[in-house]
Amino acid sequence: MQGSNLDAIPTLSILTTLWDQPRWLEAYHLYDEHGSELFEAICDLPEYYLTRTENGILETHAKDIIAAAPVECIVELGAGYSKKTIHLLSEQVRQRGQSIFAPIDVSVAGLLASQAAAHKDFPQLDFHGIQARYEDGFSAIEKSLPTLFIFLGSTIGNFNQTEFPRFFRALAAAMGPNDYFLLGADRVKPVKLLEDAYNDSRGITAAFILNVFRNINRLLGSNFDLAKMRYHSWFNPEWQQIEMYAVAAASQQIRFPSAGAAMQWNQGEKILVEISRKFEANRLQEQLGFFGLTPVEHYSDPKQWFSVLLFRKQA
Ligand code: AVJ
């Protein structure tokens, strides 16, 4: 297990984006322990089609995907050891035997849990967990080792216009010639389906989004009052993204004692907590071509709701 110092980063990230206009937050703050549990619950919601659709695609096509990407190592970005990863790992072991599995994740707890599970299920896998944010973790990957990088769940949809190119520049730079990249991306579809997936009838998504303020209170000693805010989300058609907001139900003064700072959060004012971009598969393939990633295959489900795209790094 490798680690890096992650502690100094969140405070700066939170304060700078909260002082932005409009106020917003980087999505990774959502995943404290409780947030991770709430996200697991989201994945099982009837309205949240993403996880089960992508899982179906991987279950159906894992054999072809692994056959198309002759590698010795699988690097998973985020989300250590899910059901969907197992389809790929078991095919990798079946087709190639002894292999390396290296998940990169900010959560040590998540990495340890996936290490225990992977060791039990796949004794032929060498496990190399890397505790880091994606871009920082890339440098730990040996470039000469034939590697398949996987980034599932449409997590790519969380990245804004700045983060997206930064991520792909770093990824492409970390990839050796003929390495592979497997990307799960949610597709544009009728608005009602999209909006329901992010506004479930049980209110789990609302709890997940507002929980970020509990995490921030814990990290920074601030006084966000979850009872005085509400959740609002919508599909922005021009930007083709679901936008998830916390809205102040009453004006409140938020203090950050550790930073000696305070902000006035006015009634009705929104904080953009998360975006979830939706993609057109062909356009995404063309776009990634500019980062030196050549499309190899496009896997989808019968309703064409979700895409799993395989790319190869140009030599
Ligand atoms: C984990 C980023 C893929 O955008 O669908 C789900 C997060 N937020 N419901 C998504 C999320 C609210 C999810 N990703």
Side-chain angles (χ1 to χ4, degrees):
M1 205 79 81
Q2 296 187 29
S4 61
N5 177 22
L6 295 163
D7 278 328
I9 309 159
T11 306
L12 192 62
S13 149
I14 291 163
L15 293 175
T16 53
T17 60
L18 278 180
W19 258 254
D20 230 335
Q21 179 59 35
R23 303 185 194 279
W24 63 286
L25 291 167
E26 285 191 275
Y28 78 97
H29 303 299
L30 286 159
Y31 297 92
D32 63 349
E33 213 181 305
H34 188 48
S36 301
E37 285 165 14
L38 287 168
F39 180 66
E40 290 301 311
I42 287 173
C43 292
D44 291 331
L45 289 170
E47 295 97 334
Y48 196 75
Y49 59 85
L50 286 82
T51 311
R52 80 182 72 86
T53 306
E54 184 184 48
N55 187 59
I57 298 170
L58 291 172
E59 190 168 19
T60 308
H61 297 290
K63 197 174 164 199
D64 319 332
I65 294 167
I66 294 301
V71 298
E72 294 165 33
C73 173
I74 293 179
V75 172
E76 177 159 26
L77 311 176
Y81 189 79
S82 61
K83 219 163 108 190
K84 6 184 223 197
T85 314
I86 295 172
H87 299 309
L88 297 169
L89 294 180
S90 62
E91 268 307 318
Q92 172 69 11
V93 167
R94 204 181 61 81
Q95 295 184 29
R96 314 230 160 80
Q98 196 79 36
S99 299
I100 297 168
F101 175 49
I104 301 177
D105 206 301
V106 287
S107 150
V108 193
L111 286 172
L112 288 171
S114 61
Q115 177 168 33
H119 183 72
K120 187 167 144 289
D121 295 349
F122 303 108
Q124 313 93 311
L125 280 183
D126 292 331
F127 186 98
H128 291 273
I130 301 165
Q131 193 223 350
R133 297 185 68 183
Y134 310 125
E135 290 96 316
D136 306 325
F138 289 152
S139 58
I141 311 297
E142 174 59 56
K143 240 189 181 169
S144 62
L145 187 72
T147 297
L148 168 64
F149 292 79
I150 66 179
F151 194 37
L152 300 176
S154 204
T155 305
I156 187 67
N158 273 169
F159 293 173
N160 64 27
Q161 268 66 5
T162 314
E163 296 159 336
F164 185 96
R166 185 190 298 150
F167 172 83
F168 280 103
R169 269 199 301 274
L171 173 69
M175 290 172 78
N178 301 318
D179 274 357
Y180 291 81
F181 176 54
L182 190 70
L183 178 65
D186 195 22
R187 297 167 72 155
V188 178
K189 61 179 67 58
V191 173
K192 166 86 171 127
L193 289 163
L194 290 171
E195 289 191 336
D196 284 356
Y198 294 88
N199 193 14
D200 63 278
S201 58
R202 290 159 59 190
I204 311 258
T205 308
F208 170 70
I209 293 297
L210 299 188
N211 175 67
V212 79
F213 296 98
R214 195 176 292 135
N215 188 24
I216 290 173
N217 285 346
R218 193 175 49 79
L219 288 167
L220 302 189
S222 53
N223 60 328
F224 281 103
D225 184 350
L226 275 74
K228 288 192 191 137
M229 55 178 87
R230 61 182 179 83
Y231 172 63
H232 168 71
S233 63
W234 79 304
F235 181 69
N236 180 332
E238 188 183 1
W239 289 63
Q240 297 196 332
Q241 62 187 17
I242 294 281
E243 297 175 359
M244 290 162 269
Y245 294 94
V247 189
S251 294
Q252 44 198 298
Q253 170 95 35
I254 312 296
R255 291 178 304 275
F256 301 90
S258 56
M263 71 176 219
Q264 178 69 20
W265 190 19
N266 290 321
Q267 181 175 3
E269 193 186 346
K270 296 183 290 188
I271 297 176
L272 179 59
V273 177
E274 192 182 26
I275 58 169
S276 189
R277 297 177 58 199
K278 304 303 161 189
F279 300 91
E280 280 159 17
N282 294 339
R283 181 149 159 192
L284 186 56
Q285 284 179 321
E286 286 177 15
Q287 189 179 19
L288 296 200
F290 299 120
F291 295 97
L293 296 168
T294 308
V296 175
E297 195 62 69
H298 177 189
Y299 308 93
S300 192
D301 54 290
K303 290 176 181 150
Q304 312 236 303
W305 280 3
F306 199 95
S307 288
V308 172
L309 303 168
L310 183 63
F311 298 86
R312 190 175 60 232
K313 178 80 194 300
Q314 279 150 29

